[in-house]
Amino acid sequence: MLTKNQSQINLRSDAGLATALRVSLARLTRRLRRQAAAHSLTPTQFATLAAVERHSAITPGELAELEKVQPPSMTRVIAALEERGLVSRTPHPTDRRQVTVTVTEAAQKLLKEERRLKEAWLSQRLRELTAEERSILRQAAPILEKLSRI
Amino acid sequence: MLTKNQSQINLRSDAGLATALRVSLARLTRRLRRQAAAHSLTPTQFATLAAVERHSAITPGELAELEKVQPPSMTRVIAALEERGLVSRTPHPTDRRQVTVTVTEAAQKLLKEERRLKEAWLSQRLRELTAEERSILRQAAPILEKLSRI
DNA sequence: GCCCTATAGTTAGCAAAGGTAATGACTCAT
DNA sequence: ATGAGTCATTACCTTTGCTAACTATAGGGC
């Protein structure tokens, strides 16, 4: 009985668009999370490690703001990454309250491999779309990124 | 130091698109979840209740498949909804192993109000986009829905 | 120079929501 | 009529978010 059309959501209104996006995003994220479970880093850890790689010598507070989590949540993620030798915490050069986080060499290697694995599922799904659909998603990606960043 | 450009992700490749989507989706979902915390239903409960409303007399197993969760997770969500008088479980007409779930009247009223509240944040963000950006998201929404459904 | 407030990070404890494994009730084909 | 399969549930664990409270440090006003 799963064949009924599930979305008679009115996409014209902003509220309808919001509904459609919210529901799909939640489901997709759940799906991606599950896909990632087979690999060595959780999605949160992976996203954080990638952020540390992009902004080397970043502080936990800045990372928390970037990833839109509270500082204590970021503390835990960093602790997990440090325990696995993927990031190192060093004192901030001028402010001893702060800490700077950087990726290790091991992390760079792992990131490369993880990226390949972690994206496999979604990439495969993307390949199953038509070229036009992919093109729309390409245009949508930066907008979603912008929305996620507010 | 949050001003650096965070995404030099190559959107041309499927893997790059996959990366960009994955990161943004995770962050947006986190944000939406937090936004929802002020209201009376969790996002998962809300999504499930909405699904029950759309497919009345659906079984837990079908709901689990729809929402891409395992049956035990769905059992818990349904139990929470039943405890609050929002759904009722009745025996399946022909198969006594199964159960059919339907929304109550209270739920229909609540759904309407919740929808209004829960979409407020995202709608506001959508209004801050340009008309063209919204148009792209309108085109992207069904594709994301399709991706989330595979 | 000394306090007082503000800030950065962490710790402690809680809640939401997912998962797997095992169980009980029921169905159905052999 | 029995044994395998199916549906829902229960029990338990994990991840990952949160808030509140604590510690250490910074920095300004007196």
Side-chain angles (χ1 to χ4, degrees):
Chain A
M1 207 46 67
L2 293 180
T3 52
K4 294 177 194 171
N5 179 3
Q6 151 142 331
S7 34
Q8 23 279 66
I9 293 168
N10 173 17
L11 274 176
R12 295 288 173 70
S13 70
D14 283 350
L17 178 55
T19 302
L21 284 176
R22 186 178 54 74
V23 172
S24 294
L25 297 191
R27 203 155 32 206
L28 239 185
T29 300
R30 215 150 51 221
R31 192 53 183 263
L32 282 169
R33 252 168 214 265
R34 209 162 74 206
Q35 211 57 31
H39 307 124
S40 57
L41 286 185
T42 67
T44 305
Q45 291 172 354
F46 182 74
T48 300
L49 193 55
V52 175
E53 190 191 36
R54 275 194 299 269
H55 310 80
S56 62
I58 194 172
T59 69
E62 289 167 343
L63 273 174
E65 193 183 337
L66 261 181
E67 293 301 316
K68 303 287 179 243
V69 297
Q70 294 301 306
S73 304
M74 189 48 71
T75 291
R76 185 169 348 151
V77 175
I78 293 171
L81 291 174
E82 191 180 31
E83 188 165 335
R84 300 192 38 178
L86 296 174
V87 302
S88 49
R89 274 193 272 217
T90 58
H92 192 279
T94 63
D95 185 340
R96 285 198 292 168
R97 288 170 307 179
Q98 297 187 49
V99 169
T100 59
V101 184
T102 50
V103 295
T104 63
E105 276 182 39
Q108 304 197 20
K109 199 172 135 199
L110 184 142
L111 266 177
K112 205 167 177 177
E113 174 64 5
E114 277 296 305
R115 279 199 180 101
R116 197 180 62 71
L117 287 173
K118 297 276 276 309
E119 250 82 63
W121 179 84
L122 189 49
S123 294
Q124 182 53 43
R125 299 291 87 70
L126 291 175
R127 272 193 289 278
E128 291 165 6
L129 298 175
T130 68
E132 198 196 339
E133 287 171 329
R134 273 195 301 276
S135 159
I136 290 169
L137 287 185
R138 269 195 191 92
Q139 294 175 270
I143 304 171
L144 291 171
E145 156 119 15
K146 193 159 123 185
L147 280 179
S148 79
R149 207 164 277 298
I150 292 173
Chain B
M1 208 43 69
L2 294 179
T3 53
K4 294 177 193 169
N5 179 4
Q6 151 142 331
S7 36
Q8 18 287 62
I9 293 168
N10 173 18
L11 275 175
R12 295 288 173 70
S13 69
D14 283 350
L17 178 55
T19 302
L21 285 176
R22 185 178 55 73
V23 172
S24 293
L25 297 191
R27 204 155 31 205
L28 240 184
T29 300
R30 214 151 51 220
R31 192 55 183 263
L32 282 169
R33 247 164 219 268
R34 208 163 74 205
Q35 210 58 31
H39 307 123
S40 57
L41 287 184
T42 67
T44 304
Q45 290 172 355
F46 182 73
T48 299
L49 193 55
V52 175
E53 190 192 36
R54 275 193 299 268
H55 310 79
S56 63
I58 193 173
T59 69
E62 289 167 345
L63 272 174
E65 193 185 335
L66 262 181
E67 293 301 316
K68 305 287 181 242
V69 298
Q70 293 300 306
S73 304
M74 188 49 71
T75 291
R76 182 166 350 139
V77 175
I78 293 171
L81 292 174
E82 191 180 32
E83 188 166 336
R84 300 192 39 180
L86 297 174
V87 301
S88 49
R89 274 192 273 216
T90 58
H92 192 278
T94 63
D95 185 339
R96 286 198 292 167
R97 287 170 307 178
Q98 297 187 51
V99 168
T100 61
V101 184
T102 51
V103 293
T104 64
E105 276 182 37
Q108 304 197 20
K109 199 174 134 198
L110 184 143
L111 266 176
K112 206 168 176 178
E113 173 64 6
E114 277 294 308
R115 280 200 178 100
R116 197 180 64 70
L117 287 173
K118 297 276 275 308
E119 250 81 63
W121 180 84
L122 189 50
S123 295
Q124 182 54 42
R125 298 292 86 71
L126 291 174
R127 273 193 289 279
E128 291 164 8
L129 297 176
T130 68
E132 197 197 338
E133 286 172 328
R134 274 194 301 275
S135 158
I136 290 169
L137 286 185
R138 269 194 193 93
Q139 295 175 270
I143 305 171
L144 290 171
E145 155 118 15
K146 191 159 126 187
L147 279 180
S148 78
R149 207 164 278 300
I150 292 171

